[in-house]
Amino acid sequence: LLISMVACSPSTQLTKTWTDPSVNATTFKPFTKVLVVAHLMDETSNRIAEDKMTAQFKPGVAVPAYSYLQDRDTVQDVLNARLQKDGFNGLVVMRLTGIDKSLDINTTNYGGYYRHGYGQGTTTVSENQNFLVETKIFSFESGKMLWSGTTSTYNPSSLEKALDGIIAAVKNQLVKQGLVKQPQ
């Protein structure tokens, strides 16, 4: 039973969050147009993450950065002016902040020990990876960061499942804080 509980436990946890003290369920005004940006491992991962995050919003509200940003968008003030002109009032940024690696070494002896502790056995070594991803939410109207959260995903089996876990953890926290309404 314990093994099945551990195997079914989520591998993604929200490890820390911060919310602007002026933001709460009554003062937060939902965004009408949001740019979703991901900075993960590579361009493919970024696009998958942006698409998955965009899908969490009502249709037409969120736009993945890969479909909006252009190579010439290198001057922040010019980009901000274009975003405001195009009606964006929110920004969601997801970025990989680190990968912690560790080794598990497990030695199993069997057949007993002979004299000085020598015996037959096996040693297995496995590498564990813990991916740390930070998600931030900004308001173009106030020019401030409204919310930030860091997730920790332990030994993800795939990018898709890791992203699903990260998005679920962030969304659950935002629902809990009243900043996002739970779909009915």
Side-chain angles (χ1 to χ4, degrees):
L1 178 64
L2 181 59
I3 291 171
S4 66
M5 287 174 54
V6 170
C8 295
S9 68
S11 64
T12 298
Q13 302 292 323
L14 193 59
T15 58
K16 60 184 172 181
T17 66
W18 174 86
T19 305
D20 180 319
S22 67
V23 176
N24 60 50
T26 57
T27 63
F28 183 72
K29 185 174 125 187
F31 296 125
T32 55
K33 193 167 183 184
V34 178
L35 183 66
V36 176
V37 180
H39 298 289
L40 299 174
M41 308 279 285
D42 55 38
E43 190 63 32
T44 301
S45 301
N46 294 346
R47 286 177 176 236
I48 292 169
E50 289 173 8
D51 285 340
K52 283 185 165 290
M53 185 64 84
T54 297
Q56 297 302 305
F57 291 86
K58 289 180 182 176
V61 171
V63 176
Y66 72 83
S67 71
Y68 180 82
L69 296 178
Q70 301 167 6
D71 291 338
R72 69 173 190 253
D73 291 328
T74 58
V75 179
Q76 192 65 46
D77 291 339
V78 173
L79 177 59
N80 287 346
R82 189 171 122 221
L83 287 164
Q84 286 184 331
K85 180 180 129 300
D86 290 345
F88 285 90
N89 61 351
L91 173 67
V92 176
V93 178
M94 178 187 286
R95 70 182 185 96
L96 180 67
T97 59
I99 302 172
D100 295 335
K101 294 182 180 183
S102 64
L103 293 178
D104 281 343
I105 301 171
N106 187 8
T107 302
T108 306
N109 287 311
Y110 55 90
Y113 290 97
Y114 178 70
R115 291 180 60 178
H116 300 290
Y118 298 107
Q120 295 177 325
T122 60
T123 299
T124 58
V125 178
S126 58
E127 180 181 71
N128 299 301
Q129 294 183 338
N130 190 28
F131 291 80
L132 304 173
V133 175
E134 180 181 58
T135 303
K136 293 182 179 183
I137 300 173
F138 297 89
S139 167
F140 286 124
E141 291 173 353
S142 69
K144 298 189 319 185
M145 181 172 62
L146 304 179
W147 186 88
S148 175
T150 301
T151 54
S152 170
T153 304
Y154 185 75
N155 285 340
S157 59
S158 71
L159 173 65
E160 300 277 335
K161 288 184 180 180
L163 290 171
D164 290 343
I166 292 165
I167 291 168
V170 167
K171 187 175 181 179
N172 288 341
Q173 181 64 29
L174 293 172
V175 167
K176 183 178 169 182
Q177 288 183 246
L179 302 178
V180 170
K181 291 190 167 95
Q182 185 73 330
Q184 308 252 350

